[in-house]
Amino acid sequence: MSQLRTLSATEVPSERLLLRKAHDADREGFVELMTDPEVQAYIGGPRPRSDVEQHFDAAMRTADATSRPGNFVIADNTTNRLIGTLMLARRSTDRPGHVTENGEELELGYVLRRSAWGAGFAFEAATVALRAAADELPDQPVVVVTQTANERSLKLAARLGFRPISTFEEFGAEQTLCTAPLSMFRM
């Protein structure tokens, strides 16, 4: 595990959302997120419900899933209902797709329930997380890696200010590596 810091906040609010740690009440939303074929189309496909339930239960018991710094549930700030997840953590050096010699760049990832698509929630959640990180961490590159075929994710990355710089093969598909400096998200 990386010794480099990542976002340490346990909650990050925005106008419509709250990035927070997972609760037991998030179980059904998490299961829906991980088993939906459309949601999982570009990230390995849907997982069997029993596997997702077992993983969630184990993660909640061991305080693992979103207790690690930079891993969040994206919740509606009115209902506190899970609408997705967001990760702003270090990209492992043993994976392809880096912009620095030593790797371990901050990597932004997000996934939303299909019912939350098209409402600007991913943009809002990513923006508030990146702003919080920019206030807390020194300037450094941030990367977004997505399947090249995932046009919606690439458009969102561009809207956030990330620029594609290369492609590579991983998980049996072409991936696009996009980057932006963390400093561009400072308020």
Side-chain angles (χ1 to χ4, degrees):
M1 182 165 199
S2 175
Q3 299 302 307
L4 296 172
R5 291 180 42 224
T6 188
L7 181 59
S8 66
T10 57
E11 288 191 349
V12 182
S14 71
E15 184 178 332
R16 301 177 296 162
L17 305 171
L18 176 64
L19 304 185
R20 61 167 173 75
K21 300 304 170 190
H23 303 152
D24 286 330
D26 297 323
R27 187 176 205 257
E28 279 307 309
F30 187 74
V31 168
E32 179 188 319
L33 192 65
M34 301 299 290
T35 60
D36 185 315
E38 287 186 59
V39 170
Q40 295 294 315
Y42 298 106
I43 49 178
R47 281 123 179 117
R49 182 181 180 94
S50 60
D51 290 356
V52 174
E53 290 173 337
Q54 184 179 17
H55 172 75
F56 184 83
D57 293 342
M60 291 306 289
R61 275 194 308 276
T62 62
D64 181 33
T66 61
S67 64
R68 288 177 287 177
N71 289 292
F72 298 96
V73 161
I74 304 169
D76 178 294
N77 71 6
T78 303
T79 65
N80 204 26
R81 182 174 181 252
L82 178 146
I83 61 171
T85 60
L86 180 136
M87 179 246 351
L88 185 62
R90 298 289 169 183
R91 184 162 179 84
S92 176
T93 57
D94 63 352
R95 296 184 61 201
H98 294 280
V99 295
T100 64
E101 187 175 311
N102 295 332
E104 294 194 352
E105 301 88 349
L106 281 173
E107 178 180 10
L108 174 67
Y110 37 80
V111 61
L112 274 79
R113 293 165 90 168
R114 199 170 355 141
S115 60
W117 289 359
F121 293 134
F123 180 82
E124 184 174 333
T127 299
V128 72
L130 290 163
R131 285 180 179 161
D135 288 344
E136 182 180 326
L137 301 171
D139 189 28
Q140 58 196 286
V142 181
V143 297
V144 170
V145 177
T146 188
Q147 270 194 27
T148 304
N150 190 346
E151 293 175 9
R152 290 176 67 147
S153 187
L154 287 171
K155 285 179 185 175
L156 175 57
R159 186 170 169 225
L160 286 164
F162 287 83
R163 298 293 168 242
I165 60 166
S166 67
T167 60
F168 58 91
E169 288 288 318
E170 188 179 31
F171 306 121
E174 183 181 83
Q175 309 291 322
T176 297
L177 173 66
C178 304
T179 190
L182 187 57
S183 61
M184 76 180 264
F185 298 99
R186 272 199 191 96
M187 291 290 293

